[in-house]
Amino acid sequence: MRNCKKISIPSHSTIKEAIETIDKGVMQIALVVDDDCLLGTITDGDIRRAFLNGSKLNDNIEGLYNTSPLTGRNDQSQEDLVQLALTRGIKQLPILDEDGRLIGIEYIDDYLRGPEKPNCVVLMAGGLGTRLRPLTAETPKPMLTVGSRPILETILDSFSRYGFRNFYFSVNYRAEKIREYFKDGSQYGANISYLNEKDRLGTAGALSLLPQDISEPIIVMNGDLLTNVNFDQLLNYHLLAKADATMCVREYTLQIPYGVVETEGARILGIEEKPTQNFFVNAGIYVLSPSALQLIPQESYFDMPQLFQSLVKSDRKACSFPITDYWMDIGQPNDFDQANSEYDEVFDV
């Protein structure tokens, strides 16, 4: 059970204070509490609806919060609490004692995450995000808010659900913003360390900053992606293939907007109207065995395609892992807008 003081606010709070409380916590909820008595709960959704109805930041939260939230008791088993929450489709369950006083909150994902894995996850979060300016003028791209939280937080939560606990964030541009927000990761049930790129090292070069004693395959992912890829399946596939490196790929269809003419000399043999061509493209998610890490030069600019080319040239085993799950590379303003419009439907938050 988690301590709920950080996400508790009194009933006389303003909407602005509720937003600040939700933002400081990691559970997308604030508890309205007076004298240890739970009066209700307020979420991002409640606040969005209030704004749509004309409420202002300095308005009181009275009438906005749910006064009949689902709660659990401290004498219920963990299995019963999880079942209760799943039945009602919620992820946060305030817990009351026998006298009805609030004593904590259960975050259901804590129980549904997979067993802890020894594998590290490296999230590449050092890019400049030039194509998304002015949004990234003061904010690193992985910290842009999509849905109700930064992109990087959604990625962290996705991995945590599959039992990954050990993370390295490769940082450069506006690194302090990322450090201040995530700190050491303990508030997320994770261990976060930082790879400091003094100079930009590309999509693979920063991996040379990892400790030398890594003995298990690592997963590397760009910090500006949103996806619901099954990371268990990805890792198991890599191990099954006994690969040195595995690259997630997506099918990309390109339609030529003209009739394509097939010729032989001056003679026309046929015309195909607006044909399509299918390709596999790099999805920015990789699994690398320690053997692949040995090919990365020390603190030099080195991109992931260069690493895979080196693997192929040295006759190492490089595999592809096709993904059909939701995947969005947030590189352009229209991608950012689309991700925000789809977020609530794709991610259960």
Side-chain angles (χ1 to χ4, degrees):
M1 186 173 6
R2 298 194 186 189
N3 191 301
C4 59
K5 288 184 178 180
K6 187 177 180 180
I7 59 170
S8 296
I9 55 175
S11 59
H12 57 74
S13 300
T14 64
I15 293 177
K16 181 181 179 181
E17 290 169 332
I19 293 174
E20 291 172 344
T21 300
I22 293 173
D23 189 53
K24 289 177 183 177
V26 297
M27 290 181 276
Q28 294 84 51
I29 194 173
L31 306 181
V32 184
V33 180
D34 282 342
D35 298 326
D36 293 330
C37 179
L38 179 67
L39 303 183
T41 59
I42 186 166
T43 65
D44 282 335
D46 296 323
I47 292 171
R48 285 196 294 268
R49 286 186 287 273
F51 285 147
L52 290 174
N53 291 327
S55 295
K56 302 293 189 295
L57 279 173
N58 290 324
D59 289 348
N60 189 272
I61 61 173
E62 187 69 35
L64 303 182
Y65 57 85
N66 175 16
T67 57
S68 302
L70 185 67
T71 61
R73 301 186 314 275
N74 64 334
D75 60 351
Q76 288 180 280
S77 68
Q78 292 177 348
E79 291 80 4
D80 287 344
L81 293 174
V82 171
Q83 184 65 35
L84 177 63
L86 291 177
T87 301
R88 293 285 294 273
I90 64 172
K91 297 176 68 173
Q92 313 93 347
L93 192 65
I95 304 299
L96 310 180
D97 65 14
E98 59 274 10
D99 297 320
R101 292 189 299 266
L102 179 68
I103 58 173
I105 186 167
E106 294 283 12
Y107 190 45
I108 302 306
D109 272 4
D110 287 343
Y111 300 103
L112 299 182
R113 290 172 174 170
E116 185 170 345
K117 293 181 172 61
N119 310 80
C120 296
V121 176
V122 181
L123 300 181
M124 311 303 289
L128 298 176
T130 306
R131 292 176 297 170
L132 278 170
R133 288 184 179 267
L135 294 174
T136 53
E138 299 294 332
T139 304
K141 183 164 59 169
M143 292 302 293
L144 292 178
T145 298
V146 174
S148 59
R149 51 188 175 170
I151 298 167
L152 203 52
E153 186 175 342
T154 296
I155 296 173
L156 180 69
D157 183 64
S158 296
F159 275 104
S160 295
R161 294 185 184 197
Y162 289 100
F164 294 93
R165 300 287 184 270
N166 300 310
F167 295 86
Y168 289 91
F169 289 0
S170 178
V171 294
N172 175 263
Y173 177 69
R174 300 288 183 185
E176 72 282 355
K177 295 286 184 75
I178 297 174
R179 286 177 172 276
E180 290 169 3
Y181 190 90
F182 290 99
K183 299 182 175 62
D184 64 359
S186 57
Q187 68 269 40
Y188 300 94
N191 304 307
I192 298 177
S193 300
Y194 296 88
L195 306 178
N196 298 302
E197 296 185 53
K198 295 178 181 178
D199 299 307
R200 297 184 63 237
L201 297 175
T203 53
L207 300 179
S208 68
L209 303 176
L210 287 168
Q212 298 299 308
D213 59 352
I214 289 179
S215 59
E216 299 286 343
I218 67 170
I219 297 183
V220 182
M221 178 170 165
N222 294 346
D224 56 358
L225 298 178
L226 286 176
T227 182
N228 54 12
V229 168
N230 186 315
F231 295 112
D232 258 346
Q233 293 179 357
L234 170 60
L235 181 58
N236 290 338
Y237 174 86
H238 175 84
L239 295 172
L240 182 66
K242 297 180 180 179
D244 291 283
T246 299
M247 175 189 293
C248 288
V249 297
R250 282 184 62 82
E251 190 172 28
Y252 181 81
T253 300
L254 176 66
Q255 183 176 46
I256 300 175
Y258 307 103
V260 174
V261 181
E262 181 184 1
T263 64
E264 184 178 276
R267 184 181 178 186
I268 294 176
L269 300 180
I271 301 175
E272 186 176 3
E273 190 64 30
K274 298 181 180 179
T276 59
Q277 293 182 322
N278 294 321
F279 306 91
F280 279 121
V281 298
N282 183 355
I285 308 170
Y286 318 89
V287 186
L288 304 178
S289 292
S291 56
L293 297 176
Q294 296 170 5
L295 299 180
I296 299 173
Q298 287 296 310
E299 299 190 44
S300 300
Y301 193 94
F302 199 64
D303 274 330
M304 198 64 77
Q306 291 176 269
L307 174 59
F308 275 80
Q309 289 168 357
S310 298
L311 287 163
V312 172
K313 287 180 181 178
S314 59
D315 203 27
R316 307 284 186 93
K317 190 171 185 179
C319 294
S320 63
F321 181 81
I323 58 175
T324 57
D325 309 87
Y326 179 84
W327 178 91
M328 174 63 69
D329 176 6
I330 304 173
Q332 303 280 0
N334 59 324
D335 300 325
F336 179 73
D337 293 337
Q338 182 179 342
N340 267 295
S341 67
E342 297 171 342
Y343 187 87
D344 288 343
E345 181 179 346
V346 175
F347 297 96
D348 179 23
V349 298

